[in-house]
Amino acid sequence: MTVYLDHLRRTADLTTLLGEGKEGKVSLCAAPGVAVKVLAPGSATAEKWDQVEQMAAAPMPPGRFAWPLGLVRAAAGGPPVGFAMPFVRGASVHEAVFGNTVPGFCGLARIEAAADLADLFDVAHARGVVIGDVSDRNFVVPVDASGAVERPARVVGIDCDGYDVPGRDPTTGRPRRYGEPLGTPPFVPPELLALPTLRGVKRTPAHDRYGLASLLFPVLVGTYAHEVRDLSGRTLPDIVALVRAGQFPHAPATPLPPGLEPKDQTGRWRYFPGEVRQLFVRAFRDGHRDPALRPTAVEWRAALRRWLAAKVALVPAVGPALFAFLRGQLTRQRLVQALDLAAARLDLAPAWAWLKAGNRLRWGAAGVAMAVLVGASLLRVPGPTGP
């Protein structure tokens, strides 16, 4: 199929089909770096074309979103059939987390992606845009030519024509909002889950803050925030009930039914910095009582960047000391000092102090454990220091 691209003022052939859904088909385009969404008849409305044109006239920073570039027509001067957008080579967050389809998406890369995701939401909110339909399938982790995650890892928003965006009515010139009444559990906040429909609901940044936290949790932990399992290890499917009740399984003193526990197969949650754990508690437990208590994208970005900086600083601070000790070039006292620093930066100081206070066997096991922690950071593989 050949189409006319308004933003390039030229025709181009559609090549590889990238995806297909109720709204239409997305295909690669012969124009470099461009993908095209051809809308299904039911989605091709005058309101949609107005929205796309206004979004294209107010572009986002490059590389952050697959933001509409302009309308696409079957022929120059003809009626619109779809719109063009930047092509993003990568895997959805869902595929990267649960499908393990992106080599290297582990260790520091996951914290990098989480911090970038928070920055993405802040960019949108600063421009009056509400994501609305937050989902782990609506964000892409870019990959390089080999299929491995780009470093530093980042995230790009897609399906942007479904965002709640500011605009103006083309007839009256009055301000209005464009958007779709869509929502994907478990990323929908509890106050919206209770509604029979999202049509006509004014989406706000407070709703997005819940979605952001719900998206950050699987990126960092590898499971959804409200997933629980029984003591036999069987995962229980209905997590929406916990969302409605404001029961965040990982929060202290959360009343779960007997025999249930939070699902965290890797044990990563317990090694998160206290600051990050508290932000999740605010998002899922405190924010259930008052949505205004949910952390902003700015708070998430700052906390995740501090965590990332601490882990990066850990490598030159502890790595050489560990290897020097193994070669017999460093005393046990100096190694302990280095491990004290590592424990502090990993937010493990209390546990490390308790281990040191025990007998030699316990101290030896603690040293091995800390070596594993440091090694995991050095190698950037999944481990107790984080995802």
Side-chain angles (χ1 to χ4, degrees):
M1 179 180 180
T2 301
V3 296
Y4 182 82
L5 308 173
D6 276 8
H7 76 290
L8 294 179
R9 298 182 180 180
R10 53 163 282 196
T11 59
D13 293 331
L14 301 185
T15 55
T16 307
L17 179 67
L18 298 175
E20 184 174 359
K22 292 181 181 179
E23 287 193 341
K25 300 179 180 180
V26 178
S27 303
L28 268 179
C29 177
V34 176
V36 168
K37 184 174 185 177
V38 177
L39 297 187
S43 300
T45 64
E47 181 176 318
K48 173 63 71 173
W49 306 139
D50 290 337
Q51 175 190 354
V52 168
E53 284 193 301
Q54 293 190 44
M55 291 178 72
M60 284 288 197
R64 305 316 314 269
F65 299 90
W67 201 255
L69 298 170
L71 293 174
V72 168
R73 308 173 191 273
V81 296
F83 62 91
M85 56 189 169
F87 168 62
V88 183
R89 179 175 57 190
S92 71
V93 167
H94 182 87
E95 294 169 332
V97 170
F98 298 105
N100 295 317
T101 58
V102 180
F105 191 63
C106 55
L108 296 181
R110 289 205 179 197
I111 306 177
E112 290 170 352
D116 192 66
L117 192 55
D119 185 67
L120 200 70
F121 273 67
D122 180 52
V123 168
H125 292 169
R127 288 161 175 77
V129 174
V130 176
I131 306 294
D133 184 20
V134 177
S135 165
D136 54 6
R137 300 181 188 275
N138 289 346
F139 295 88
V140 168
V141 178
V143 300
D144 59 25
S146 71
V149 64
E150 288 185 356
R151 299 301 301 273
R154 59 191 184 92
V155 179
V156 177
I158 62 172
D159 286 342
C160 302
D161 59 307
Y163 290 4
D164 189 296
V165 297
R168 291 191 175 275
D169 186 291
T171 302
T172 65
R174 294 176 179 173
R176 61 155 297 173
R177 304 286 301 188
Y178 291 95
E180 299 288 346
L182 302 174
T184 306
F187 306 98
V188 179
E191 63 268 24
L192 297 187
L193 283 174
L195 302 178
T197 177
L198 295 178
R199 189 170 298 280
V201 174
K202 181 181 179 181
R203 308 296 274 268
T204 69
H207 298 149
D208 266 7
R209 290 171 195 162
Y210 183 92
L212 172 59
S214 299
L215 196 55
L216 290 173
F217 197 90
V219 169
L220 294 170
V221 180
T223 62
Y224 292 121
H226 292 81
E227 279 191 272
V228 295
R229 61 182 181 181
D230 61 22
L231 296 181
S232 68
R234 179 170 55 96
T235 300
L236 303 181
D238 186 15
I239 61 179
V240 175
L242 292 176
V243 173
R244 290 179 184 272
Q247 292 180 308
F248 177 41
H250 297 269
T254 296
L256 291 176
L260 298 184
E261 63 181 7
K263 183 181 179 183
D264 178 12
Q265 295 171 326
T266 62
R268 293 170 180 161
W269 168 261
R270 75 186 67 178
Y271 296 105
F272 282 11
E275 178 184 23
V276 173
R277 291 199 300 267
Q278 187 56 37
L279 288 178
F280 279 117
V281 171
R282 282 177 53 195
F284 298 128
R285 188 189 67 186
D286 303 345
H288 183 268
R289 299 191 302 269
D290 181 2
L293 298 177
R294 293 169 185 157
T296 66
V298 173
E299 290 179 279
W300 277 113
R301 181 179 60 201
L304 291 167
R305 285 180 176 175
R306 281 191 289 269
W307 185 15
L308 184 64
K311 291 192 68 173
V312 170
L314 180 67
V315 176
V318 179
L322 178 62
F323 292 123
F325 177 77
L326 294 176
R327 292 194 301 265
Q329 299 172 345
L330 192 70
T331 65
R332 182 174 121 165
Q333 181 181 3
R334 294 293 300 277
L335 177 63
V336 170
Q337 292 174 352
L339 294 180
D340 285 343
L341 175 62
R345 287 179 172 169
L346 292 171
D347 205 34
L348 294 173
W352 173 238
W354 178 83
L355 287 168
K356 284 196 302 179
N359 56 34
R360 289 187 178 181
L361 179 62
R362 182 190 294 172
W363 196 95
V368 171
M370 187 59 71
V372 171
L373 295 177
V374 175
S377 288
L378 288 168
L379 297 174
R380 298 188 177 187
V381 299
T385 56

